[in-house]
Amino acid sequence: MTAYKKLEETDLQAVASFIARDRILWNQEINEEYSHDELSSEQSYPDMVVRVTSAEEVSRLMAYANQHHIAVTPRGAGTGAGRCLSRS
Ligand SMILES: Cc1cc2nc3c(=O)[nH]c(=O)nc-3n(C[C@H](O)[C@H](O)[C@H](O)COP(=O)(O)OP(=O)(O)OC[C@H]3O[C@@H](n4cnc5c(N)ncnc54)[C@H](O)[C@@H]3O)c2cc1C
């Protein structure tokens, strides 16, 4: 299985250079709701939650993640069946 990079403070600073810090949740800022969805009992906390508002932000975020070998899990309303959970 591919080993993805564990996120560090430097990644937070890098992402916050192109996405407003108040739309990024980091560590203790991530509440329980992001650790599960509506249909599965699985629980898994992401390292970071980024609330994007444009295709350009998605593009820059994915480019950063790809460059640094960071796993990304898209999430909508979290009402699906366990596939919007981060796999750390
Ligand atoms: C009470 C209840 C009733 C339901 N009834 C139905 C029903 O009748 N019919 C039905 O089809 N479903 C139903 N569902 C399931 C669910 O609502 C649907 O599957 C819904 O489409 C999931 O959307 P979401 O935004 O919540 O997705 P999420 O749970 O957030 O994500 C689901 C999957 O889509 C991926 N994803 C989310 N956003 C994106 C994106 N922007 N780009 C790429 N991938 C993305 C996630 O990574 C994950 O793999 C029900 C769920 C509940 C809780």
Side-chain angles (χ1 to χ4, degrees):
M1 177 139 151
T2 310
Y4 290 105
K5 179 179 186 297
K6 180 100 186 109
L7 291 186
E8 296 158 343
E9 197 74 36
T10 47
D11 299 305
L12 172 63
Q13 285 146 18
V15 173
S17 72
F18 58 87
I19 291 182
R21 178 63 180 87
D22 63 359
R23 286 193 280 115
I24 304 171
L25 303 176
W26 174 250
N27 278 348
Q28 309 313 331
E29 298 164 354
I30 300 172
N31 62 35
E32 190 265 343
E33 121 197 25
Y34 287 103
S35 73
H36 62 84
D37 70 6
E38 293 307 312
L39 284 183
S40 79
S41 56
E42 275 186 72
Q43 200 169 25
S44 169
Y45 277 81
D47 294 338
M48 183 193 281
V49 172
V50 185
R51 297 194 186 121
V52 290
T53 58
S54 68
E56 202 223 330
E57 285 185 350
V58 173
S59 167
R60 291 191 72 177
L61 199 57
M62 295 308 288
Y64 182 82
N66 185 46
Q67 198 188 340
H68 296 88
H69 212 58
I70 295 167
V72 174
T73 307
R75 185 185 174 105
T79 66
R83 295 184 303 280
C84 66
L85 301 185
S86 65
R87 299 275 182 255
S88 32

